[in-house]
Amino acid sequence: MEKAVFEKMLSRVQKPGRYCGGEINSAVKDRRKVSVRFAFCFPDTYEIGMSHLGIKILYSIFNEREDIWCERVFAPLDDMAKEMKENGVPLFALESRDSIKDFDFIGFTLQYELSYTNVLYMLDLAGVPLRAKDRDENAPIVVAGGPCACNAEPLAGFTDIFFLGEGEKVDLEVIDLYKECKKSGWNKKEFLRKAAQIEGVYVPSIYDVEYNADGTVRAINARDGAPEKVQKRIENDMDKAYYPEKFIVPSVEIVHDRAVEEIFRGCIRGCRFCQAGYIYRPVREKSPDVINRQARSLIKSTGYDEISLSSLSTSDYRRLEELLVKMLSWCDEEKVSLSLPSLRIDNFSEELLEKVSSVRKSGLTFAPEAGTQRLRDVINKNITEEEIMRSCTTAFRGGYSSVKLYFMMGLPTETDEDIVGIADLAGRIVDLYYSLPDRKKGMAVSVTISVANFVPKPFTPFEFEPQISREEMIRRQALLKESIKSRKITFNYHENRTSFLEGVFARGDRRLADVVERAYKSGCRFDGWDEFFNLEKWLAAFEGCGIDPAFYTARTREFDELMPWDHLDYAISKDFLIRENKKAHGGKTTPNCREKCALCGANTFGEGVCFEKRQTVL
Amino acid sequence: MKNVRLFYKKTGLARFVSHLDTMRCMTRLLRRANLDVWYTEGFNPHLYITFAMPLSLGMTSEYEIADIRFNDDGATLDGVCEKLNENSPEGFHFFAASEPVKKLSELKFAKYKAEFSDGGALKEKLEKFLSSGEISIEKKTKKGEIKTIDVAPDIEKFSLEAGDETTLDITLPAGNDKTVKPELIINKFLSQADPECYYKITRTLLLDGEKMPLK
């Protein structure tokens, strides 16, 4: 692309910095000296995509290899897309500004279902045929990974390869196979057939799906010697797993503009609504020394003055105190603020609070998820109101005056009593604040309750459950709103329209490909953004394809129904999910992985928490 | 503590990094360069840095100033630019580091160069426009009201050249007392002469009251 043309385009768009590249620590290579070009696409804006940890890890892993050049691609907003069209510029990679149509691989990370139209949007902008079957021998191989790959069946028709689980090793194995196949006479079908033999690789085109008359799946058949079940990949030893020493430091502000250090993968808790809590099993920790060393090197190479510890539940890290002591010894001196997101209420100690606030006081967030103890037992969120109150007391005495609480609405077995319970709980926290004589004086308490809509997800005990209708979501939101009595309480809630669509795709099947394509062609994109989301267009797309979205959301699925994702193996057994579902309906909780093994199946990897000494034994 | 004035250029695509983002970039860049810089001593210490004059989004510059402080009174300034350049994102280039001669409040004028992709066609019209004695521009005040002002008397100096493109050099007030943005004048002109014309502005110098480069 001509530089003058590019600058002219940029001078006409909003926030042009996000299309520029050239950031510190970005990988610029000589295109003649690499043999594989990989376009790493995040199907959302630069600001969102650059905040994602996975892209940073894989970008660095690829670019450490001299023969691979991995570049970043984000979805341009409308104004930029218009400039690109008018100037005949197809979608390009940030580093080289070369068109990605000529790359070897186009890879998408699928972080949320509502980014599916953006996958099509980006392929289209690149000038690559949308459907895998319409792409010729020389077209780029379109791959995708990330949490949604555990059931990305709605995208099966557009994707050549899905990576299941963690991508660090499997991505490179596929690239190596690609190089080999290129050398020995390229045949795409042959390459895909061979790729399907690699553990963690799912090639959707060699699996045939048959349906019953009622629309449910009858059978999923593997062809060409592909495995009947594709197993996900994981990194076994987190201390030896690759972690980048450098992050790209964006020159324009992004959403999470800070260094991020991953401390463990997986979660011991087993909250029954939480997909991440199951698909990332088993829990595998990094040791404090490794974390400390990696964190320090990140701070040095980026110049960030903030670092956040990343995991699904930070306070479940067994050696957190030890780690904090290590890290705070240099964070203070180097004026680095340390943030600990995802703290759980139940094991939140006073000392811990003091340690974090000695650097900088950030807000307090808790996630009780449900308003009553009964419902918290159903979803296996093993915390009591007493624990919540105790943590808040600690926090208020420690000088905090604002608390954020996360809840979900539409959970299985939920009644109006549970909804009103959310307001009551928030009200009791307000009362608690004013009852404390040693609270910080002169500050008004502020309690924010954020309520998300529950969306049943694959590989959770609630994968069988119906999702409540949009009308019912609206009714329950209104009920909660009128139940809030104090003006110290702020109530935020999610859009019901997007939750509904998320519900359709989360447990969708291949037949939804037509709907995605139709919706995209009618103008749907950036569906995760309220200002762009257009429900009417989506409903028209469903109707036009003769597909009833309620089939995917409103139905209770039988335990013996074959799910569209049942050929994908995330080491979570169906028996376990059924047991957990039954326990949920009986209001029975399940101890966390450290207390007692619930026999989910994740021990097949021979690693992590499954092989730790149990607390009960110690 | 030692006051240090950094001089840098912002070129190429870095012109699309806004002033706010530039401030963030600079802080991180100074931290990466591992210089012994002074932090404010408030409740939330932050790296002390002051810029002479924000640069509009889309403008490049040959002469930008940022003031910082070193903890050590006797710190040498040798090698500071090299260290900063090694750690700079594309388009940021430091060319001098010295102790400030004048205060930043001595900034009175800025010199700009505007290049028009017009094939040289606009030169005469632009000359006439700039010499017309009255250039009324609509400006939004801080209260959000639209006010019409005449900026013709504010044009200190200008010169024009035409080749493949018309080039305008213009000196305008800049600083605490008064600032006139060159893009307002140019947009006004182009709205009458050629609304589609693409142009690019470079700030070439920051000047003191004597119209000497601010040092």
Side-chain angles (χ1 to χ4, degrees):
Chain A
M1 185 186 346
E2 216 181 306
K3 203 177 154 221
V5 175
F6 189 49
E7 291 201 21
K8 213 163 154 175
M9 284 163 56
L10 291 176
S11 68
R12 295 195 183 117
V13 302
Q14 290 281 311
K15 296 194 185 170
R18 55 189 164 192
Y19 307 110
C20 288
E23 308 96 323
I24 203 87
N25 298 331
S26 58
V28 176
K29 298 187 177 187
D30 183 342
R31 51 172 79 73
R32 290 162 306 181
K33 288 186 182 151
V34 294
S35 47
V36 176
R37 306 272 310 258
F38 194 107
F40 199 124
C41 303
F42 194 102
D44 212 313
T45 60
Y46 177 89
E47 290 85 337
I48 293 175
M50 283 300 291
S51 304
H52 178 239
L53 178 60
I55 191 170
K56 296 177 209 261
I57 296 176
L58 294 173
Y59 180 83
S60 295
I61 271 198
F62 287 154
N63 283 319
E64 287 227 333
R65 289 247 314 237
E66 272 181 22
D67 55 336
I68 306 172
W69 188 5
C70 173
E71 301 181 57
R72 296 158 298 149
V73 191
F74 302 95
L77 282 170
D78 265 1
D79 57 349
M80 185 60 174
K82 191 172 150 255
E83 287 295 328
M84 286 162 62
K85 269 183 194 143
E86 278 172 12
N87 290 284
V89 174
L91 190 62
F92 56 89
L94 278 190
E95 282 79 355
S96 63
R97 287 195 272 286
D98 289 339
S99 156
I100 65 168
K101 190 173 71 189
D102 307 316
F103 279 39
D104 299 280
F105 287 91
I106 295 181
F108 289 95
T109 175
L110 305 174
Q111 296 296 315
Y112 26 87
E113 293 82 358
L114 294 177
S115 65
Y116 288 176
T117 49
N118 271 15
V119 171
L120 273 58
Y121 172 53
M122 291 174 79
L123 288 173
D124 209 14
L125 284 174
V128 172
L130 300 182
R131 299 276 179 165
K133 62 175 171 51
D134 298 333
R135 291 194 288 265
D136 64 22
E137 283 288 293
N138 298 316
I141 304 292
V142 176
V143 301
C148 291
C150 78
N151 179 36
E153 286 299 286
L155 290 187
F158 309 104
T159 313
D160 296 308
I161 290 176
F162 287 112
F163 295 120
L164 307 190
E166 296 163 13
E168 282 95 337
K169 295 208 173 69
V170 62
D171 290 12
L172 291 179
E173 289 167 19
V174 167
I175 289 176
D176 285 335
L177 174 70
Y178 172 84
K179 281 180 71 180
E180 223 178 278
C181 290
K182 276 274 161 172
K183 259 186 238 158
S184 55
W186 176 248
N187 177 318
K188 193 160 153 186
K189 262 199 165 149
E190 186 62 15
F191 161 70
L192 291 175
R193 196 187 59 74
K194 282 183 176 158
Q197 299 299 323
I198 299 174
E199 203 169 281
V201 172
Y202 167 44
V203 178
S205 60
I206 50 183
Y207 290 78
D208 297 325
V209 184
E210 294 168 25
Y211 300 93
N212 293 310
D214 65 359
T216 55
V217 175
R218 178 166 51 218
I220 304 165
N221 302 312
R223 281 187 286 110
D224 297 344
E228 289 295 329
K229 284 216 165 206
V230 187
Q231 208 182 35
K232 74 158 178 176
R233 286 287 283 272
I234 66 163
E235 283 299 299
N236 279 350
D237 184 345
M238 287 308 292
D239 277 348
K240 290 186 185 135
Y242 179 88
Y243 203 74
E245 283 179 12
K246 295 174 178 175
F247 278 5
I248 292 177
V249 186
S251 303
V252 298
E253 195 178 20
I254 58 169
V255 181
H256 297 293
D257 213 355
R258 60 185 78 99
V260 178
E261 172 63 24
E262 189 181 24
I263 60 173
F264 67 89
R265 288 188 186 165
C267 180
I268 59 170
R269 297 286 159 177
C271 301
R272 291 178 180 131
F273 54 85
C274 176
Q275 187 181 45
Y278 295 97
I279 62 170
Y280 296 126
R281 287 182 177 209
V283 167
R284 289 145 292 149
E285 292 183 335
K286 271 186 202 169
S287 52
D289 280 332
V290 172
I291 295 169
N292 191 46
R293 193 183 63 232
Q294 291 175 346
R296 201 151 186 185
S297 117
L298 273 183
I299 287 296
K300 225 181 164 130
S301 68
T302 58
Y304 274 123
D305 56 8
E306 186 181 354
I307 189 160
S308 143
L309 298 182
S310 164
S311 71
L312 290 170
S313 178
T314 307
S315 42
D316 285 331
Y317 182 68
R318 282 177 301 167
R319 294 156 77 182
L320 189 58
E321 302 257 359
E322 180 190 342
L323 174 66
L324 291 182
V325 170
K326 275 199 166 83
M327 288 187 69
L328 290 169
S329 71
W330 55 270
C331 279
D332 267 341
E333 198 168 306
E334 295 179 20
K335 314 246 178 350
V336 174
S337 103
L338 176 64
S339 57
L340 307 179
S342 312
L343 280 182
R344 266 182 68 101
I345 300 187
D346 48 351
N347 46 11
F348 191 85
S349 77
E350 220 147 329
E351 300 101 278
L352 199 58
L353 187 71
E354 246 165 57
K355 275 177 187 140
V356 187
S357 54
S358 74
V359 185
R360 193 169 292 178
K361 215 156 261 181
S362 49
L364 256 195
T365 46
F366 297 132
E369 306 293 1
T372 61
Q373 193 56 47
R374 183 201 68 81
L375 192 52
R376 283 196 291 273
D377 288 345
V378 169
I379 62 176
N380 203 40
K381 190 84 194 184
N382 293 342
I383 40 175
T384 62
E385 179 159 338
E386 199 200 327
E387 285 165 332
I388 296 172
M389 290 302 167
R390 196 170 51 219
S391 299
C392 286
T393 307
T394 311
F396 291 152
R397 286 196 169 126
Y400 285 81
S401 63
S402 75
V403 178
K404 232 190 202 168
L405 300 167
Y406 287 102
F407 292 97
M408 252 185 295
M409 188 175 273
L411 289 161
T413 77
E414 185 176 87
T415 63
D416 285 359
E417 200 181 309
D418 299 306
I419 300 291
V420 176
I422 295 175
D424 291 347
L425 177 61
R428 285 194 291 275
I429 291 174
V430 172
D431 294 344
L432 170 79
Y433 183 80
Y434 290 109
S435 74
L436 294 174
D438 48 353
R439 68 176 194 266
K440 201 169 159 190
K441 292 288 178 296
M443 292 281 275
V445 69
S446 125
V447 177
T448 304
I449 49 183
S450 287
V451 182
N453 300 309
F454 167 66
V455 178
K457 296 275 166 117
F459 298 104
T460 68
F462 291 157
E463 67 174 23
F464 312 99
E465 299 291 334
Q467 182 185 13
I468 61 169
S469 68
R470 287 176 45 225
E471 293 69 28
E472 184 57 18
M473 287 179 205
I474 294 166
R475 191 191 69 82
R476 292 187 196 182
Q477 282 166 352
L479 173 64
L480 177 51
K481 204 167 184 181
E482 64 197 40
S483 309
I484 295 169
K485 299 286 185 272
S486 166
R487 289 168 73 185
K488 309 283 186 223
I489 301 171
T490 318
F491 171 39
N492 301 324
Y493 55 90
H494 275 198
E495 255 288 335
N496 61 75
R497 301 173 305 166
T498 43
S499 304
F500 152 77
L501 192 68
E502 185 185 336
V504 174
F505 286 111
R507 293 182 295 170
D509 57 40
R510 289 184 179 191
R511 290 168 299 186
L512 290 172
D514 293 339
V515 182
V516 181
E517 188 169 345
R518 204 174 178 115
Y520 163 66
K521 289 196 165 147
S522 71
C524 293
R525 60 210 61 173
F526 290 103
D527 297 306
W529 297 55
D530 287 347
E531 62 262 51
F532 295 116
F533 185 75
N534 188 323
L535 184 68
E536 288 67 39
K537 282 186 180 163
W538 272 104
L539 293 177
F542 279 108
E543 206 179 317
C545 296
I547 287 177
D548 177 12
F551 171 78
Y552 297 96
T553 55
R555 231 161 28 89
T556 298
R557 289 156 170 80
E558 299 300 324
F559 289 143
D560 61 1
E561 179 177 331
L562 187 63
M563 305 290 195
W565 54 89
D566 274 348
H567 56 312
L568 308 180
D569 181 1
Y570 275 70
I572 300 295
S573 80
K574 194 47 117 13
D575 286 346
F576 164 73
L577 294 180
I578 294 170
R579 278 200 310 274
E580 281 294 298
N581 184 282
K582 287 178 178 161
K583 281 173 88 175
H585 283 279
K588 293 209 171 58
T589 59
T590 295
N592 73 50
C593 295
R594 288 220 165 91
E595 289 164 351
K596 189 169 184 286
C597 177
L599 302 172
C600 69
N603 64 355
T604 167
F605 292 105
E607 282 298 335
V609 67
C610 315
F611 298 89
E612 279 172 15
K613 281 186 185 153
R614 305 256 174 253
Q615 281 167 356
T616 45
V617 180
L618 285 175
Chain B
M1 199 171 8
K2 176 173 183 161
N3 288 312
V4 179
R5 182 157 292 170
L6 303 172
F7 297 86
Y8 65 96
K9 297 179 181 191
K10 200 174 158 200
T11 57
L13 293 177
R15 72 184 171 111
F16 296 115
V17 178
S18 70
H19 179 62
L20 218 64
D21 286 327
T22 300
M23 299 200 305
R24 268 188 286 268
C25 273
M26 285 288 176
T27 303
R28 287 168 193 163
L29 147 61
L30 284 159
R31 289 176 59 93
R32 283 194 298 273
N34 205 18
L35 298 170
D36 183 25
V37 289
W38 183 76
Y39 281 72
T40 60
E41 281 157 354
F43 190 68
N44 276 336
H46 61 268
L47 194 149
Y48 174 85
I49 183 161
T50 311
F51 292 81
M53 182 82 202
L55 187 68
S56 302
L57 185 75
M59 265 191 218
T60 52
S61 176
E62 301 287 330
Y63 196 89
E64 289 296 289
I65 293 177
D67 282 1
I68 57 166
R69 288 171 183 165
F70 283 166
N71 284 316
D72 179 7
D73 284 336
T76 171
L77 298 181
D78 292 346
V80 167
C81 285
E82 286 77 5
K83 271 190 187 162
L84 291 172
N85 286 332
E86 277 165 27
N87 287 286
S88 291
E90 215 174 284
F92 288 85
H93 180 80
F94 293 83
F95 60 89
S98 58
E99 287 189 68
V101 178
K102 290 191 167 173
K103 285 183 184 163
L104 288 181
S105 56
E106 299 284 318
L107 171 70
K108 299 294 172 202
F109 303 99
K111 207 177 154 198
Y112 303 90
K113 182 171 77 185
E115 294 158 292
F116 299 83
S117 307
D118 64 337
L122 289 170
K123 186 184 172 229
E124 266 167 47
K125 275 190 195 165
L126 183 55
E127 182 141 34
K128 222 170 132 193
F129 175 80
L130 292 172
S131 337
S132 66
E134 195 190 327
I135 302 173
S136 49
I137 277 174
E138 289 177 345
K139 206 178 159 183
K140 237 188 208 164
T141 63
K142 279 182 184 159
K143 285 178 192 157
E145 298 155 5
I146 291 175
K147 206 171 85 180
T148 308
I149 50 164
D150 178 17
V151 294
D154 294 322
I155 299 176
E156 286 297 319
K157 207 169 127 187
F158 77 86
S159 65
L160 281 158
E161 250 178 75
D164 284 347
E165 45 186 29
T166 302
T167 307
L168 163 71
D169 279 295
I170 190 166
T171 305
L172 294 167
N176 289 345
D177 311 335
K178 185 171 198 179
T179 300
V180 175
K181 290 180 170 182
E183 62 267 37
L184 291 179
I185 299 176
I186 291 171
N187 286 342
K188 172 79 182 181
F189 165 69
L190 288 178
S191 69
Q192 299 158 1
D194 181 3
E196 290 298 301
C197 180
Y198 172 70
Y199 67 91
K200 207 160 111 177
I201 303 177
T202 305
R203 185 152 76 191
T204 49
L205 268 178
L206 295 172
L207 305 167
D208 61 21
E210 278 86 54
K211 302 214 176 78
M212 295 300 285
L214 186 67
K215 291 255 163 102

